Amino acid sequence: MLWQSLFFFANNVALIGWALLLVGPRSPRMAAIILYFGVGLLCLAYAAMFVAQFDAIVAGDFLSIKGIRALFQSDGGVVLGWTHYLAFDLFIGQWIAKDADHKGFSRWVQAPILLLTLLAGPIGLLIWLFIRERRARAAAKA
């Protein structure tokens, strides 16, 4: 039951962070809320779960699929891994939003990229890197 509660907690923190990122104001205060109460809280939960799973992690074999599969066969390993994804994807989403604002992209252009980052982090990031390149080069020349 503890792992299910932690899973529920992590999902809700991440979803609130993403909702604020997508529809909230882009103020310094909102950025701090998302960073510290979203990403930071997920990182803190991750650290606590990491300590709880430390024996399994230290004993794990991270150089083989079999070793990684063994870690993720427990509820603790699944929630630990999921929280890792949630924290990093939200952090990357916040960076994309800040970078897009700085480069003058509208929120309508940002929204699908942010949603893709929420659903498939590295793909959303990759698309953002391609989209931002032209404006980044133009800004560097100015």
Side-chain angles (χ1 to χ4, degrees):
M1 184 63 175
L2 172 67
W3 291 114
Q4 180 63 40
S5 297
L6 288 169
F7 179 79
F8 180 78
F9 170 78
N11 276 332
N12 283 315
V13 168
L15 287 176
I16 290 167
W18 278 101
L20 293 172
L21 185 60
L22 286 164
V23 299
R26 294 278 171 82
S27 65
R29 181 182 173 110
M30 184 60 68
I33 289 169
I34 294 168
L35 183 63
Y36 295 108
F37 293 108
V39 177
L41 203 51
L42 288 169
C43 290
L44 182 62
Y46 178 85
M49 289 184 266
F50 188 91
V51 169
Q53 292 290 302
F54 187 74
D55 290 340
I57 293 167
V58 172
D61 169 15
F62 293 97
L63 300 176
S64 72
I65 293 172
K66 182 180 177 181
I68 299 297
R69 185 183 308 119
L71 177 62
F72 288 118
Q73 292 217 342
S74 69
D75 288 350
V78 169
V79 176
L80 181 70
W82 185 243
T83 303
H84 182 280
Y85 287 123
L86 292 174
F88 274 90
D89 285 354
L90 182 56
F91 182 80
I92 294 301
Q94 188 172 26
W95 175 80
I96 289 170
K98 185 176 183 178
D99 191 44
D101 286 347
H102 181 72
K103 290 181 177 41
F105 286 90
S106 75
R107 303 269 305 253
W108 289 106
V109 171
Q110 295 176 39
I113 297 165
L114 291 172
L115 288 171
L116 190 55
T117 303
L118 166 63
L119 297 173
I123 296 172
L125 176 58
L126 180 65
I127 289 171
W128 174 244
L129 293 174
F130 281 123
I131 289 172
R132 78 181 290 274
E133 183 60 25
R134 177 176 276 162
R135 287 205 190 166
R137 287 179 185 259
K141 289 179 182 177

